[in-house]
Amino acid sequence: MTEQSDPIKLLTIVGGGTAGWMTAAALAKLIRPLGVRIRLVESDAIGTIGVGEATLPHIRFFNERLGLDEAAFMAATQATIKLGIQFRDWARKGDAYIHPFGDYGRDIGETAFHHLWLRAAQAGRAGRIDDYSLPIVMAEQARFGPPATDEHSVMSSFSYAYQMDATLYAKFLRDFAEANGVERIEGRIVATRRCPESGDVRAVRLESGVEVEGDLFVDCSGFRALLIGQELGVGFEDWSDVLPCDRAVAAACENAEDPIPYTRSTARDAGWQWCIPLQHRVGNGYVFASAHLSDDEATATLLAHLDGAPIGDPRVLRFKAGRRRKQWAKNVVAIGLSSGFLEPLESTSIYLIQAAVTNLVELFPERGIALADRDEFNRVMDLEYERIRDFLVLHYHATERDDTPFWNYVRTMTIPESLTYKMDLFRRRGVIVHYKDGLFLHPSWLAVYLGQRVVPERCAPLAEAPSDEKLDAFLGDLKGVIQSTVAALPTHAAHLRAFCPAPPAVA
Amino acid sequence: MSMTHAPPDTQTRIVVAGATLEGWLAAASLARRLRPLGVAVILVPTDADAAPPPALATTPGFRAVHDALRLDERDVARFCGGGFRLGDEILSNDRSFARAFSPAGQACNGVAFHQHWLRARRIGASPPFDNLSVGARAAREGRFAPPAPDADDLAGSYGFGLHLDGARYQEYLRRCALHYGVTEAAPLAEASPDGDGRLDALRLADGSTARAALYLDATGPGALLLRGLAPEPLRPAPDASGCDRVAWSVADAPENLSAGVIRMESRGYAISTPLPGANVVGFVHRADATDAETAARRCGAASADDVTLVSFANAWRPRPWVGDCVAIGRAACDLEPLAHPLPRLVDAALDHLVELFPIAGDEAGGRDEFNRRMDETFARFAEFQALHHVLSAYPKEARAASAPLERKIEQFRSRGRVVLYDHESFDEASHVALYLGFGLLPDRYDPLADLTPPDETAALMTKTRDAVRALCDAMPSQRDALLRMRLLNAERA
């Protein structure tokens, strides 16, 4: 085998948790066969956050690339199916909508479906747009069947993700990574050794005195940002002016009924509450702005709004929205919370880990890291962060709520110009700004715009083309196909029982 | 919800100024696509109308334009003295390669094919890159057969556009436009902007007045209508070759009808478009450095009397839509002829215009977005052209001056990574063909390519080369293909 000039031989991941073990698992599968020794340093004494229990459909491609068996993975992580996210009380109290992982209706020629729907809805003849989305109807009826690949089938119009226990996922991936040759080193890091010339990190020293060297380090140390922040001094870009929530109180509770195949996000006085049903329990949390609410108040509100009996004590997490100014500096790549934080409103934490790992594999460097690799990684990750930020801010800003100081703040705050532009264009004429590389595609923006009551003043001129009768028949057919398709599917609970029953929870 | 149903406003009128190629194309396309709205399209010729380019070359994506007009591409080729275009052959210094609408090989073990090729090159087992692409090889050999529909292997891996005679295509589009109900009005007498940055009406030579909700300026580089609306200054292509003029000549039909030829030279470049009955050759140069006589000889003409000289700005309008006037075609973007910008840029503009068409007289929202998208589209196209110059270092003045282009080149040079932005006109395969064709060999290849055993990589190359050769060998020459498809008369052939 012809080797290129100076390959990386030693790669060290600092920190376990979701980010650490996702990175370890992927690199074990994809990079270790190149002859790279991969080690992961973590300490049992340091807790992990378990950044998110809700995922986006991209996770399936990550798992597929690793060759994970879906049923085994779901059983091991107490996973349920996720078809979208429901938002309650966001634009107005009493509102509810689902952001689905899939399309709305079908376009006619050059006319996007939502314009046709707008025209009919304005005349009072179309009903909810939700009824034209297969994943929404599936979610509402708590039914599920796998997507079809035949693009003529309505079952090809959606995708799905999982709701899972992130701590169990990390454990599952740890087993996978270790089986694939990743060496786990137990210990607390107390010091770092740098190269005096280049400034690169050469090794981390553990409490035991042992040094773990590396040609390349991946900083998965969480908010502490041990290498990228503390050691290399890369600063943090604070986005809390547009994303003011800075705390969360989390608590699990028992399942009162069969788990539903979607995540619920309910707006509260100073933030929002998540509800993520897993097979063995329900994850809950209240994300809030400490400027408007105390920890105790938030905890009380959360406990008052659980669907089942609480399990364990609530715990409070602190964070700040924003991103590391450079995701990759010297020979240190930040992945996970060390690279930045965006609240889990749209389940992007695990996605951002996955994007970073994928980009690292695509741009895997050599020793004496090429500037071009680092630059390109930082450019694509910056884009990811910015585009997600805009999408999250939309949820808060596009609201009519004026019942608390928190909602008054987010409703009236100054938002990024890039978002103002997108919202104006949609409001004026229903056009969705399209990017080649954006994480959230047309249906996602559409769902949140309409759900947040950003309603176009006019529909596209071409939507006026079909006659009323034709349009009614078209819409009626779509709705009917979706209804009959969903009615024939098994329930979500039945699917879980048949496909991936998890062992009962160990107390 | 306060949505306005606005049939009275959308049953409105579009005036297209310019009986030009882009004028007739826009008129035909909008008349057809907006017909359900009862939009009337009126075309107003002007004194300033630009002549069509002598020959035109389209990309596979342009087929959608013909589909929307219910035109069969075979008919278009037949009526417009044209044929099928698989790509371009590019000659530079001692290099020659084809850039086609066709990737080389297929990805393997999760690694892009060109990364396997780079590795094969290090172990001394790499055939010429364009021998691994069906479109490129068939282009160089002048063969043609349509790709196998729905095949997910090499047999379906390539696409084709058309080579067309410019004047005949313009006439064909004119007939098509009239068929779809476009009216040709009297020539323009005067466009008098109203002082608020709008046109509001055109006075015509027969004394009548043409009013419309929207005016398209398709007059050509002079931008007769838009000029009166105080548009922003033209934005010069940042990485341009420095060329500003082309000398066109017509020669005998070449043997190879499947590929145009681009020959990079020290004073500019020659570009040819093969038609079954003629070869249209242009020499693109700097007017202040190469006189007409020299340019004429460079494109194979006997003297300056035998060529048509056309100047271009190599620049575009960052805001082609001002007030109620949208510049389209050369009025919006007057680039050098390399890679044939005109059809592609008109196609993009029409798509965006249909989506962002003014509603109930309100054009502002659509206008900003249209301008944003078109500005990016123009910039990306100019960048693709500039790649030819920068990579070949011909002409010598060529350099990467813009950050986006620098990044593209730097990333490929560094590790064979293809950077593409929003609103690109050319895909990854086209970029890879250019980079490697011009000899921009990356410093490194994807390390994951090393996971495939070397003999397997070598076998992948041999297998691909043989499969490509077999597919090409089975294709007739394009001239034979045109005869068989009855797109060419035996006596004309």
Side-chain angles (χ1 to χ4, degrees), chain B residues 51-214:
Chain B
L56 216 69
T58 67
T59 53
F62 199 73
R63 186 183 166 153
V65 174
H66 292 139
D67 284 349
L69 292 171
R70 304 291 187 272
L71 299 175
D72 187 312
E73 293 225 294
R74 286 168 299 189
D75 292 335
V76 180
R78 176 168 33 213
F79 285 112
C80 303
F84 302 108
R85 176 188 187 213
L86 288 175
D88 286 309
E89 186 169 17
I90 299 175
L91 313 171
S92 163
N93 234 352
D94 52 350
R95 292 181 181 284
S96 107
F97 65 97
R99 153 171 71 58
F101 311 113
S102 167
Q106 293 186 300
C108 172
N109 297 336
V111 174
F113 183 84
H114 74 273
Q115 297 286 0
H116 286 296
W117 182 85
L118 289 170
R119 166 142 182 276
R121 207 183 149 270
R122 301 255 173 130
I123 55 181
S126 62
F129 193 68
D130 63 356
N131 274 354
L132 302 169
S133 149
V134 181
R137 184 170 180 138
R140 293 184 65 149
E141 295 181 349
R143 298 172 184 272
F144 181 76
D150 301 326
D152 55 7
D153 59 2
L154 289 172
S157 66
Y158 61 101
F160 64 90
L162 299 175
H163 292 126
L164 301 168
D165 177 285
R168 288 168 74 171
Y169 186 51
Q170 178 173 321
E171 172 58 17
Y172 189 67
L173 289 170
R174 188 183 73 88
R175 288 197 214 173
C176 176
L178 297 178
H179 170 77
Y180 283 123
V182 174
T183 11
E184 183 169 0
L188 180 73
E190 193 186 9
S192 38
D194 66 357
D196 291 333
R198 303 178 65 84
L199 287 169
D200 277 333
L202 302 181
R203 239 170 18 83
L204 307 186
D206 63 0
S208 68
T209 302
R211 280 182 203 284
L214 201 64

Side-chain angles (χ1 to χ4, degrees), chain A residues 297-338:
Chain A
E297 288 168 311
T299 307
T301 303
L302 178 68
L303 293 177
H305 291 93
L306 298 182
D307 289 344
I311 307 170
D313 290 327
R315 52 191 189 123
V316 176
L317 312 168
R318 289 156 192 243
F319 47 77
K320 193 195 289 176
R323 71 168 169 211
R324 196 64 55 190
R325 287 190 194 280
K326 282 189 175 128
Q327 312 274 308
W328 181 346
K330 304 283 183 194
N331 64 334
V332 175
V333 182
I335 296 184
L337 298 174
S338 61

Side-chain angles (χ1 to χ4, degrees), chain B residues 259-345:
Chain B
V261 178
I262 300 167
R263 197 178 62 239
M264 313 304 289
E265 298 186 2
S266 57
R267 291 162 161 271
Y269 61 94
I271 176 171
S272 73
T273 307
L275 301 172
N279 195 22
V280 176
V281 187
F283 185 71
V284 185
H285 58 278
R286 286 178 76 119
D288 64 2
T290 303
D291 61 26
E293 284 298 332
T294 313
R297 281 193 302 278
R298 300 311 305 153
C299 62
S303 80
D305 296 336
D306 303 318
V307 297
T308 311
L309 291 170
V310 179
S311 297
F312 52 84
N314 234 342
W316 66 84
R317 300 193 181 275
R319 303 179 67 78
W321 184 341
V322 176
D324 52 358
C325 178
V326 185
I328 197 161
R330 289 164 287 181
C333 181
D334 190 23
L335 294 176
E336 58 184 300
L338 190 58
H340 304 278
L342 181 58
R344 159 64 196 155
L345 296 178

Side-chain angles (χ1 to χ4, degrees), chain A residues 241-298:
Chain A
D241 55 333
V242 285
L243 292 169
C245 288
D246 58 355
R247 287 192 196 174
V249 53
C253 73
E254 288 172 3
N255 265 321
E257 47 195 60
D258 283 341
I260 50 172
Y262 58 92
T263 293
R264 220 164 58 205
S265 158
T266 308
R268 300 263 176 246
D269 288 352
W272 59 278
Q273 178 182 334
W274 78 73
C275 166
I276 302 172
L278 310 181
Q279 290 192 40
H280 63 318
R281 61 169 170 78
V282 179
N284 306 277
Y286 183 179
V287 175
F288 62 98
S290 63
H292 298 283
L293 200 72
S294 72
D295 291 5
D296 290 346
E297 288 168 311

